[in-house]
């Protein structure tokens, strides 16, 4: 019985440290790449709503999102998911929606009709 308690403590410790390391890693990526300064607030909100509330994102904000870069985009989404306000959301669904938004914006930016 004592070994079960020790095992439980180790699992909790491991999970807590892993979450703290992930948070630190995302914060470091965001800081090193100046991610929080690369998009205007209206487009940040629009991108957020397209991922977290399934709304659309404009061409202008797609351009800003792609300009932000995939590394920053992923780190910002992951950091948002670490916020207790969003603990009720499914991380897998949000990350899938974030990838879908990124890919849609990338396709739109690469589209010949937009660059013509």
């Amino acid at each position: 019985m004592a070994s079960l308690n020790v095992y439980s403590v180790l699992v909790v410790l491991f999970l807590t440290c892993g979450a703290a390391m992930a948070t630190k890693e995302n914060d470091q990526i965001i800081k090193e790449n100046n991610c929080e300064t690369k998009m205007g607030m209206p487009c940040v909100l629009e991108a957020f709503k397209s991922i977290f509330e399934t709304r659309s994102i404009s061409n202008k904000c797609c351009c800003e999102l792609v300009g932000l870069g995939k590394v920053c985009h992923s780190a910002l989404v992951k950091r948002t998911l670490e916020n207790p306000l969003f603990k009720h959301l499914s991380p897998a669904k949000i990350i899938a929606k974030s990838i879908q938004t990124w890919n849609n914006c990338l396709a739109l930016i690469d589209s010949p009709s937009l660059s013509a």
Side-chain angles (χ1 to χ4, degrees), residues 57-79:
I57 184 168
S58 66
N59 292 0
K60 176 187 180 295
C61 291
C62 268
C63 287
E64 285 194 31
L65 182 65
V66 172
L68 173 71
K70 188 166 186 153
V71 170
C72 283
H73 171 67
S74 295
L76 288 165
V77 169
K78 288 175 186 172
R79 187 177 71 180

Side-chain angles (χ1 to χ4, degrees), residues 2-14:
S3 64
L4 181 60
N5 288 338
V6 171
Y7 177 73
S8 298
V9 169
L10 288 175
V11 168
V12 170
L13 210 69
F14 175 75

Side-chain angles (χ1 to χ4, degrees), residues 59-105:
N59 292 0
K60 176 187 180 295
C61 291
C62 268
C63 287
E64 285 194 31
L65 182 65
V66 172
L68 173 71
K70 188 166 186 153
V71 170
C72 283
H73 171 67
S74 295
L76 288 165
V77 169
K78 288 175 186 172
R79 187 177 71 180
T80 302
L81 284 170
E82 292 163 357
N83 186 316
L85 291 173
F86 301 102
K87 69 180 178 187
H88 66 283
L89 299 175
S90 163
K93 286 182 182 178
I94 296 299
I95 289 172
K97 182 64 177 153
S98 132
I99 292 168
Q100 179 186 9
T101 299
W102 174 264
N103 288 340
N104 290 347
C105 283

Side-chain angles (χ1 to χ4, degrees), residues 17-30 78-79 82:
C17 290
M21 286 172 44
T23 301
K24 197 172 194 179
E25 182 180 310
N26 289 327
D27 286 343
Q28 185 175 355
I29 290 168
I30 291 165
K78 288 175 186 172
R79 187 177 71 180
E82 292 163 357

